[in-house]
Amino acid sequence: MANNITVMKFGGATLATPALMKGVARRIVETRAQGRDVVVVVSAPGKMTDELIAKARAITDEPDEREMDMLLATGEQQSIALMGIALKSLDCDAISFTGPQVGIVTDDAHTKARIVKMGGEKIKTALRLGKVVIVAGFQGETENEEITTLGRGGSDLTAVALATALSAGICEFFKDVDGVYTADPRIVPEAVRLPRLAYDEMLEMASLGAQVLYNRCVEFAKKNKIVLHVRSSTKPEPGTLISEEVAQMEGVMVSGVTHTKKEAKLTILWVPDQPGIAAKIFSRLAAEKLNIDVIVQDISEEGSTNISFTISQDDLSRAKKAVEKLVREIGAKGFEADEHVGKVSVVGVGMRSHSGVAAAMFEALAEKGINIQMISTSEIKISCIVAEDRVEEAVRAIHEKFQLAKLA
Ligand code: ADP
Ligand code: ASP
Ligand code: MG
């Protein structure tokens, strides 16, 4: 049941300087003055999480994950305290809490933990006392009181999980952009803000590289029917609402173009074309905790086939080692690596009822002479693997082809 509670989440860029923090505090006070009960979720200020990771990596390439969580959780803890100080300096009664303090319980998968239980009683008590409650995003603790973090972008997930636990109904994300755009505005200056998106579209966009919301946050919101509102931290106008699909969305064929870089493609050559071989390859890669993205198997020639797949560049050296062993075991001829690929994708629920989207996307790439290395599709998205140094050009060409600048 919806109530008077508003969850307001502020990202790192909106908290990067003392002046920005004060501005955010004023915005919170304004919302409180409208009679709302306010729960604030904050990220680490500025680029602090990146800086903390760099500090650990300056010591070792593979820092211990439990200690990484201890380190990373300190970023958000600084933000809650500073926001508490900012609000109290404006005579706003406020109290800050860490994730563990408000009962966010996770599994023990350090650096990418999943929430298993949400408390919230402490928050409700503070709200009843008229306080603004500030909660550290991105962090929780295991049943054994070990500090954990929820994966990069995890403060978004904290916000939606709190909105769910508190029956808030809507969760607002205040950002340095004023909504979700048809493409990353840093790459496509003509990109326009989308007033509405369906959960499924946002989920695909987030999973396919649109950094603006964490995909696990969208998944959680869809499951619990929490409406998401992505909006500007400095302007009062509404931004993008993400909710269940509504009929009007179907008129639009493609809603956005997303991209990722820093991927790599491995091809195992002359794999014996027999039942069980693919299972053997991919179960071994899974056992090595390698996340595989797109997979393509060529047609069989003389009883052999080539199998290609993509992975993150970060995992390349581990993947190469695993594949080298597999090649020997399955009697393949060898393997090739393309260490620099990326992925461009078009997303839209309207694709379900329109044909020709793939053809138009491939045409856009052909017109720029960009070679498509692999293709993967679902009901509401089409992705192409291309050379990493052509990704941005590909995004712009596709955005232009579908005339997404006219969606505004
Ligand atoms: P926060 O710190 O609030 O979590 P992020 O930095 O994670 O915010 O996400 C906001 C950034 O996402 C924007 O500055 C923008 O450059 C980038 N971005 C990428 N794709 C999109 C998109 N389709 N729409 C809006 N922003 C996008
Ligand atoms: N500070 C964390 C990160 O940079 C969590 C977040 O901002 O959502 O990934
Ligand atoms: Mg983020």
Side-chain angles (χ1 to χ4, degrees):
M1 194 185 66
N3 51 31
N4 198 31
I5 299 174
T6 294
V7 176
M8 304 174 80
K9 185 257 166 176
F10 292 89
T14 71
L15 304 166
T17 64
L20 284 168
M21 284 228 182
K22 283 196 212 171
V24 164
R26 280 192 293 272
R27 178 107 191 211
I28 294 166
V29 169
E30 278 164 25
T31 308
R32 178 82 192 95
Q34 289 160 14
R36 311 287 307 171
D37 286 335
V38 180
V39 177
V40 177
V41 175
V42 283
S43 291
K47 301 222 169 294
M48 186 173 285
T49 308
D50 289 333
E51 287 158 14
L52 292 172
I53 292 172
K55 276 189 179 167
R57 293 236 167 103
I59 296 174
T60 166
D61 280 343
E62 285 184 39
D64 179 85
E65 293 194 328
R66 177 191 182 275
E67 304 308 331
M68 268 320 267
D69 277 350
M70 281 297 211
L71 179 67
L72 296 187
T74 63
E76 272 68 13
Q77 196 163 337
Q78 291 195 26
S79 282
I80 53 168
L82 290 168
M83 191 47 65
I85 289 166
L87 284 168
K88 288 178 196 187
S89 78
L90 297 174
D91 290 328
C92 171
D93 193 8
I95 183 160
S96 66
F97 294 123
T98 63
Q101 274 181 305
V102 295
I104 298 177
V105 181
T106 73
D107 63 15
D108 61 2
H110 282 291
T111 74
K112 46 187 166 309
R114 300 194 81 87
I115 297 176
V116 295
K117 209 163 69 193
M118 284 293 299
E121 278 318 304
K122 232 186 164 91
I123 300 179
K124 287 181 194 158
T125 307
L127 289 176
R128 272 196 295 274
L129 293 171
K131 294 178 192 292
V132 166
V133 178
I134 311 153
V135 181
F138 182 50
Q139 51 174 254
E141 69 175 3
T142 66
E143 300 276 6
N144 291 328
E145 298 174 357
E146 294 284 322
I147 305 275
T148 51
T149 61
L150 307 175
R152 295 308 306 272
S155 297
D156 293 345
L157 179 58
T158 305
V160 172
L162 283 178
T164 306
L166 299 167
S167 311
I170 185 158
C171 187
E172 301 206 286
F173 297 82
F174 294 85
K175 305 233 167 216
D176 61 350
V177 275
D178 58 4
V180 180
Y181 276 61
T182 48
D184 188 338
R186 286 174 298 194
I187 293 192
V188 185
E190 303 79 35
V192 292
R193 183 176 57 81
L194 293 156
R196 288 199 78 112
L197 270 171
Y199 288 126
D200 286 336
E201 279 173 317
M202 189 67 238
L203 192 53
E204 288 286 10
M205 283 178 74
S207 305
L208 294 168
Q211 178 202 350
V212 63
L213 277 181
Y214 185 27
N215 59 354
R216 281 170 58 196
C217 141
V218 185
E219 204 172 45
F220 202 101
K222 181 184 173 192
K223 201 160 120 208
N224 295 289
K225 293 196 167 52
I226 303 289
V227 175
L228 308 178
H229 186 186
V230 178
R231 59 193 304 191
S232 160
S233 66
T234 53
K235 290 186 242 157
E237 290 81 18
T240 301
L241 281 176
I242 298 133
S243 62
E244 303 274 13
E245 206 170 314
V246 292
Q248 84 196 46
M249 294 172 175
E250 281 187 4
V252 178
M253 197 156 70
V254 167
S255 296
V257 188
T258 61
H259 70 279
T260 55
K261 291 189 190 170
K262 295 198 180 307
E263 294 190 38
K265 181 177 81 170
L266 288 177
T267 303
I268 310 183
L269 303 163
W270 289 82
V271 177
D273 195 8
Q274 290 159 12
I277 295 279
K280 180 164 183 169
I281 294 173
F282 291 100
S283 53
R284 178 71 60 78
L285 298 173
E288 298 282 340
K289 293 209 161 44
L290 290 161
N291 274 327
I292 310 296
D293 187 12
V294 182
I295 302 173
V296 166
Q297 175 173 328
D298 293 349
I299 53 163
S300 179
E301 243 181 273
E302 296 167 31
S304 296
T305 179
N306 296 336
I307 295 182
S308 304
F309 57 90
T310 59
I311 46 162
S312 157
Q313 275 170 20
D314 292 341
D315 293 338
L316 186 61
S317 60
R318 281 195 304 128
K320 277 184 174 170
K321 266 187 219 149
V323 167
E324 223 165 76
K325 258 174 89 186
L326 271 165
V327 163
R328 281 197 299 273
E329 285 174 32
I330 60 178
K333 201 168 168 185
F335 76 94
E336 277 173 1
D338 182 341
E339 307 196 353
H340 295 281
V341 298
K343 185 169 61 181
V344 276
S345 310
V346 293
V347 176
V349 286
M351 271 186 221
R352 288 197 194 110
S353 48
H354 286 83
S355 55
V357 177
M361 178 180 186
F362 301 159
E363 247 171 57
L365 296 175
E367 281 158 17
K368 296 283 175 202
I370 298 171
N371 188 37
I372 301 170
Q373 302 187 19
M374 294 163 104
I375 300 166
S376 129
T377 64
S378 82
E379 216 189 359
I380 62 164
K381 68 111 190 188
I382 301 164
S383 299
C384 295
I385 300 294
V386 301
E388 191 175 24
D389 60 4
R390 307 296 301 273
V391 164
E392 295 191 7
E393 200 184 343
V395 172
R396 285 189 284 268
I398 295 165
H399 195 272
E400 170 84 40
K401 188 77 173 175
F402 287 98
Q403 302 205 325
L404 297 183
K406 294 198 177 137
L407 276 190

